[in-house]
Amino acid sequence: LSFATTSTITGALTITAGTLYINGTTTVTSDIANSDTIILGSYPLKKSSSLSLDKSSYTIGTDSSLTITLTDFNRNTVGTTSQTLAVAVVTNSDSESVTLTETGVATGIFTATLPLSQSSATLNDGTLEASEATTISVSYTDNQDSTDSSSGSAALTAASTSGSSTGAILLS
């Protein structure tokens, strides 16, 4: 199957066998299920991505990790293997590039767990470190389509001192 011009597929696109060649702009309005191969020519197959964290708030010293999930069906370009892609995770003091792995063959859902630590930050060391309350920001831009980008955020709070009536924050 081949698309050579601007096309819109209303509904789901399912590829069960064979190769789909895309040489124009193709927009899919629903899910993409790929069990074989999609060859992208000079234009990407468009299906907006979505990015999320497993929680809306994390506590320094209590939560040991965060889980990132990205759904981007058109990044499943080979339906017989799992792919990987990268997202950026940033706070006011740390920055990590995290590799997400597709959850299975032809799922289009990518995930990774990033350890959290209450300590001074070391950039790109595979652990998100913080010593004070901040915001965690996660962002992704599809390398095949720069207009397809997603982001998410969560609060990172400091554990309060037990028994304190002043609301003091305990940081070590």
Side-chain angles (χ1 to χ4, degrees):
L1 181 59
S2 179
F3 293 105
T5 61
T6 300
S7 305
T8 299
I9 299 169
T10 303
L13 171 63
T14 302
I15 302 162
T16 55
T19 301
L20 172 63
Y21 295 91
I22 309 272
N23 290 312
T25 300
T26 301
T27 302
V28 179
T29 62
S30 188
D31 292 341
I32 300 169
N34 179 24
S35 297
D36 207 325
T37 304
I38 298 174
I39 304 296
L40 302 175
S42 56
Y43 298 97
L45 177 66
K46 292 189 175 202
K47 173 68 175 158
S48 296
S49 60
S50 66
L51 182 65
S52 64
L53 295 166
D54 62 323
K55 296 171 69 174
S56 61
S57 179
Y58 301 88
T59 302
I60 299 170
T62 301
D63 293 308
S64 61
S65 64
L66 60 87
T67 299
I68 305 160
T69 302
L70 174 77
T71 301
D72 193 356
F73 294 112
N74 71 321
R75 295 304 296 139
N76 174 47
T77 55
V78 179
T80 57
T81 62
S82 296
Q83 278 89 57
T84 60
L85 47 82
V87 298
V89 180
V90 178
T91 67
N92 63 347
S93 62
D94 199 1
S95 176
E96 301 294 330
S97 178
V98 180
T99 299
L100 279 63
T101 303
E102 196 171 11
T103 58
V105 174
T107 66
I109 301 169
F110 301 81
T111 190
T113 298
L114 179 63
L116 292 173
S117 176
Q118 182 178 1
S119 61
S120 298
T122 302
L123 301 178
N124 287 313
D125 67 348
T127 299
L128 188 65
E129 294 121 345
S131 58
E132 62 184 31
T134 187
T135 298
I136 301 168
S137 299
V138 183
S139 61
Y140 163 75
T141 301
D142 188 323
N143 66 4
Q144 298 289 327
D145 178 8
S146 62
T147 66
D148 181 10
S149 61
S150 297
S151 61
S153 65
L156 183 60
T157 59
S160 63
T161 304
S162 178
S164 172
S165 61
T166 62
I169 296 176
L170 171 65
L171 299 174
S172 56

